[in-house]
Amino acid sequence: MALLQDSKFTSTPALRLVFMGTPALAGVCLKALLDAPDVQVAAVVTQPDQPKGRGMKLQASPVKEIALAAGIPVLQPHRARDEAFLGQLREFAPELIAVAAYGQILPASVLELPKHGCLNVHTSLLPRYRGASPIQRAILNGDTETGVTIMKMDAGMDTGDIVAQERTPIAPEDTAATLNDRLAVIGAELLVKVIPRYVRGELKPHPQPAEGVSYAPKIRKEEGRIDWTQPARVIVNHVRGMNPWPGAFTQWPGSSGPVLLKIWEAEATGRQSEPGVVLQAGRDGIVVGCGEGALKIRSLQKEGGRRLMAQEFLAGNPLRAGEKLL
């Protein structure tokens, strides 16, 4: 039956679609749409090129790079509500707009433009974690499950009706980076499956539950600092959730002044000591006291250096038991 439905849909003209997105996660969705027989990506909208690296050279977003390689027109408005941009968007006459991590709130003039509205790929099980950083917040809070929601966008912040959801467990070893990559694939596959059924009217959007609403504000760089008064299990989640950006960090009071240390991998142990005090720094690794239990650091990085396993780090850095990390 599914094969007959797919055949029926693909025998009609492909759905004319505009895609809006910016980071690598959105790029996975764009690639899936470009390969889908049911849609035609008429144009791509992404954020303006941003200065990056030591030379601060302008760099295109991952979505822009994919679009240009595929010969797809690219629009990069500074503001999605600009009249000039709206005029360009109307010229592409999209029947549907698909959005994934675009980075701007869309005005009603964009949401109401396509016949079938705008579908958004959101990397949480809405209404949990509305906002900019649902992946990081799920790990920071120690969640064991998350997922992807395809929703029909409205004027609110991730408040639109749910079209479809798919769940996935969060493994103890998952970081924000690994979970991001997995959710990107899940979201891309779900979007491609949902679009034809949604357009045919087989999937009816339904309101988000009123219960269980939470928010995921944008991660700030200073949030990476480790609070050693927290329990070790909370700090482990902090290390996982801040990987890759901004990285969980602390300061080591070196002989010539404080040195920034980023902690990349760690596990909780049952030892107890004053928070931030190094209990062990030797052949068996680095162990630091926490508000409850202790943190065994497996890999770390000194400012200006490269990421090292704990034993490698100690071979070139005189971190000693009894010192206190700040």
Side-chain angles (χ1 to χ4, degrees):
M1 181 65 70
L3 290 175
L4 289 175
Q5 287 178 339
D6 289 343
S7 174
K8 178 181 178 182
F9 186 80
T10 53
S11 65
T12 62
L15 184 78
R16 189 171 176 82
L17 177 149
V18 166
F19 179 77
M20 303 180 74
T22 299
L25 181 147
V28 176
C29 294
L30 175 57
K31 285 182 177 179
L33 290 170
L34 291 173
D35 291 337
D38 307 314
V39 302
Q40 174 202 355
V41 181
V44 162
V45 183
T46 190
Q47 293 282 58
D49 296 359
Q50 298 295 319
K52 291 186 178 180
R54 292 185 178 180
M56 297 300 285
K57 293 182 179 179
L58 289 178
Q59 183 173 323
S61 72
V63 162
K64 180 180 179 179
E65 292 178 348
I66 293 167
L68 292 179
I72 306 294
V74 176
L75 305 178
Q76 295 180 273
H78 286 279
R79 296 172 71 251
R81 60 182 67 252
D82 287 347
E83 282 300 323
F85 164 66
L86 294 173
Q88 291 177 309
L89 197 57
R90 291 189 189 99
E91 290 179 4
F92 287 104
E95 298 173 89
L96 175 75
I97 293 177
V99 184
Y102 171 53
Q104 291 191 45
I105 295 176
L106 301 184
S109 53
V110 173
L111 298 176
E112 297 168 1
L113 178 62
K115 172 183 177 182
H116 298 290
C118 301
L119 293 185
N120 177 253
V121 181
H122 187 77
T123 49
S124 81
L125 298 172
L126 290 170
R128 189 162 173 80
Y129 298 130
R130 295 172 177 170
S133 53
I135 297 174
Q136 295 95 324
R137 299 296 177 188
I139 292 179
L140 290 171
N141 290 334
D143 291 4
T144 58
E145 184 183 56
T146 187
V148 172
T149 301
I150 307 295
M151 70 170 181
K152 185 174 182 181
M153 298 177 72
D154 62 14
M157 172 66 76
D158 299 325
T159 56
D161 290 353
I162 294 172
V163 178
Q165 290 185 320
E166 186 166 333
R167 298 173 179 269
T168 187
I170 301 177
E173 65 273 13
D174 267 326
T175 65
T178 62
L179 188 56
N180 178 89
D181 292 347
R182 188 160 74 252
L183 290 175
V185 173
I186 292 172
E189 292 176 349
L190 187 60
L191 179 65
V192 168
K193 290 177 185 176
V194 159
I195 286 176
R197 295 189 61 203
Y198 165 74
V199 170
R200 289 197 298 262
E202 296 171 6
L203 290 176
K204 301 295 185 182
H206 60 275
Q208 295 185 27
E211 302 79 25
V213 175
S214 64
Y215 294 89
K218 185 177 180 179
I219 297 289
R220 295 171 288 109
K221 188 174 182 179
E222 54 269 29
E223 286 186 76
R225 181 177 292 278
I226 295 171
D227 178 359
W228 292 106
T229 67
Q230 292 289 319
R233 57 180 173 77
V234 172
I235 297 177
V236 168
N237 292 338
H238 185 82
V239 170
R240 295 165 56 222
M242 294 294 167
N243 181 346
W245 191 91
F249 65 87
T250 187
Q251 283 187 315
W252 168 32
S255 57
S256 58
V259 177
L260 186 74
L261 298 179
K262 283 194 175 182
I263 312 301
W264 292 113
E265 294 177 279
E267 61 185 81
T269 74
R271 298 182 63 179
Q272 189 67 45
S273 177
E274 181 183 348
V277 171
V278 178
L279 300 174
Q280 177 182 309
R283 184 175 300 175
D284 294 328
I286 301 170
V287 179
V288 183
C290 304
E292 180 183 307
L295 191 77
K296 185 173 183 178
I297 299 170
R298 296 204 300 262
S299 69
L300 66 164
Q301 181 179 3
K302 184 169 67 173
E303 187 173 17
R306 61 188 180 90
R307 179 171 169 174
L308 298 170
M309 299 304 292
Q311 288 186 355
E312 294 178 283
F313 177 85
L314 291 173
N317 297 279
L319 178 63
R320 297 180 178 88
E323 293 187 276
K324 187 170 184 178
L325 303 181
L326 307 175

